Amino acid sequence: MKLTLSSSPHQRTPRDTGQVMRLVIYAMLPGLALQWYFFGWGVIVQAILAVLAAIVTEAAVLTLRGKNIRHAVSDFSAVLTALLLAVSLPPLLPWWMTVIGAVFAIAIVKQVYGGLGYNMFNPAMVAYVMLLISFPAAMTMWMPPQTLAASTVNLGDTLSVIFTGFSNAGYDVTQLRTDWDGVTMATPLDAVKTGLTQGLTYSETLNMPVFSGAFAASLGAGWAWVSLAYAAGGLALLRLRVINWHIPVSMLASVVVVSLLIHLINQDHYASPLFHLFNGSVMLGAFFIATDPVSASTTNKGRLIFGGLIGFWVVIVRTFGGYPDAVAFAVIIMNMAVPLIDYYTRPRTYGHHSHVRSGKGKRP
């Protein structure tokens, strides 16, 4: 008999890696579509740029390593990494930054460690953090929802801004980010953090234009719908048993509990749990990023700890750190802790008894 050993991700279903990756991509489509609806064509352009750069990089590195290009590229892992990176980027980010991020995610974070199944960190999140640290100004240039923008950015303008820095009418990204009153827009997370540092209360920050929308005032215009769409896709993955419930549930529960405790301490200065859940990338992170089968914990107890601590770090960094959103940082922090978590949560081997219990192995 031949014993075959393989690295994660392991699946208990007949699905192969390519099928699993495709299902995750399909589940992302509702969220991607709503991001396009609210924030324009840049979302689609960034996704195409990232996917092309990721596939080319994967093929090039595998060629250098003498690996089977067709099999590795067809597993769609590079495409999924590129999409996760793309939806985290501002829609009008310069094209070369997107390409650098995708190349870094595949060549450095994934392939340098040995390829799929060997990478310690989530490639998309490490690439996002690298871009955020390297180009902080560009990485915060998120567009306002189309309903609040002074002018709609069509496909032609989007391509012009991404590849030249200016729209067809000569506007740069900063000018395109203004609302009807000429005030530069910010994301809800940026708006709250900036308002609090300027001495405003949490309730006063909710009077900003970005909080006008179909949802309650505590949610940002457009952002809550996008979060709900990613949550719906995540629930579909749970229903299909593509992912386990432990990480999403523990992460979301942790975000609610930690943010609620902080909010109750000072409701004028700390955001509510509802705000944390439906702004930024919490839903995307809970169902699509933290559940990465390669860089996440592999035991059920470990997944609960892993997800819970990600939720904890998200709220802590958002509240007390220098960055408005913190999902990427939280995931990377906990990726480093996975070996330790798995070591202390590994299940006992069937039939195994400790030496102390059985009276064996005791020193005289």
Side-chain angles (χ1 to χ4, degrees):
M1 295 179 64
K2 182 180 179 181
L3 177 63
T4 302
L5 300 177
S6 63
S7 60
S8 59
H10 303 292
Q11 297 295 329
R12 297 172 181 265
T13 65
R15 303 186 185 107
D16 59 27
T17 301
Q19 290 174 320
V20 172
M21 296 296 174
R22 286 195 296 273
L23 286 174
V24 176
I25 292 171
Y26 297 152
M28 285 185 64
L29 293 180
L32 183 66
L34 278 185
Q35 274 193 250
W36 164 75
Y37 175 79
F38 283 108
F39 302 105
W41 283 101
V43 175
I44 305 299
V45 175
Q46 299 294 348
I48 294 173
L49 284 172
V51 168
L52 290 177
I55 292 176
V56 170
T57 302
E58 181 108 302
V61 175
L62 289 173
T63 300
L64 293 174
R65 294 180 59 200
K67 300 292 183 179
N68 188 319
I69 300 176
R70 181 178 179 181
H71 179 267
V73 173
S74 64
D75 67 11
F76 284 84
S77 61
V79 175
L80 179 58
T81 295
L83 287 178
L84 289 173
L85 174 63
V87 298
S88 304
L89 300 177
L92 298 183
L93 190 73
W95 67 271
W96 55 272
M97 293 186 189
T98 304
V99 171
I100 287 176
V103 171
F104 185 84
I106 300 299
I108 305 300
V109 189
K110 181 182 177 183
Q111 290 297 336
V112 164
Y113 281 88
L116 181 65
Y118 297 95
N119 50 286
M120 178 178 179
F121 299 98
N122 185 291
M125 293 300 95
V126 176
Y128 172 83
V129 170
M130 182 274 294
L131 290 174
L132 183 62
I133 295 173
S134 303
F135 312 104
M139 287 291 288
T140 56
M141 290 291 185
W142 276 88
M143 292 295 292
Q146 299 276 14
T147 54
L148 299 179
S151 57
T152 302
V153 183
N154 57 35
L155 178 59
D157 286 328
T158 298
L159 293 172
S160 181
V161 173
I162 291 175
F163 287 98
T164 70
F166 296 92
S167 67
N168 294 325
Y171 296 112
D172 60 17
V173 178
T174 302
Q175 292 169 316
L176 293 172
R177 292 177 69 235
T178 58
D179 62 12
W180 292 103
D181 296 323
V183 178
T184 300
M185 294 290 293
T187 66
L189 293 172
D190 286 320
V192 167
K193 180 167 284 292
T194 301
L196 292 175
T197 57
Q198 294 175 346
L200 299 177
T201 66
Y202 170 60
S203 299
E204 288 172 338
T205 63
L206 300 183
N207 293 323
M208 297 180 180
V210 74
F211 291 103
S212 61
F215 272 77
S218 61
L219 303 178
W223 293 91
W225 289 108
V226 173
S227 294
L228 285 174
Y230 282 121
L235 292 175
L237 293 179
L238 288 174
R239 182 76 176 87
L240 294 171
R241 296 185 179 181
V242 176
I243 61 175
N244 295 299
W245 63 267
H246 305 78
I247 292 176
V249 170
S250 61
M251 178 178 166
L252 295 178
S254 179
V255 168
V256 171
V257 171
V258 177
S259 61
L260 178 61
L261 291 174
I262 296 177
H263 182 66
L264 291 176
I265 293 173
N266 189 340
Q267 298 184 17
D268 288 333
H269 197 71
Y270 300 121
S272 67
L274 195 63
F275 176 84
H276 281 289
L277 282 177
F278 291 101
N279 280 294
S281 53
V282 167
M283 291 297 176
L284 176 68
F287 291 102
F288 295 93
I289 297 173
T291 54
D292 174 22
V294 178
S295 57
S297 181
T298 56
T299 67
N300 288 337
K301 289 181 180 178
R303 292 184 182 113
L304 291 172
I305 296 171
F306 178 77
L309 288 176
I310 288 177
F312 168 81
W313 283 116
V314 166
V315 177
I316 295 301
V317 176
R318 279 183 174 186
T319 305
F320 304 106
Y323 294 95
D325 204 357
V327 171
F329 292 99
V331 169
I332 292 173
I333 290 171
M334 293 313 302
N335 284 160
M336 291 188 289
V338 163
L340 186 65
I341 294 174
D342 282 351
Y343 178 81
Y344 283 104
T345 60
R346 58 186 177 184
R348 180 177 297 175
T349 305
Y350 180 76
H352 172 78
H353 298 282
S354 67
H355 292 307
V356 175
R357 278 188 169 183
S358 60
K360 298 178 182 178
K362 291 183 178 180
R363 291 185 179 181

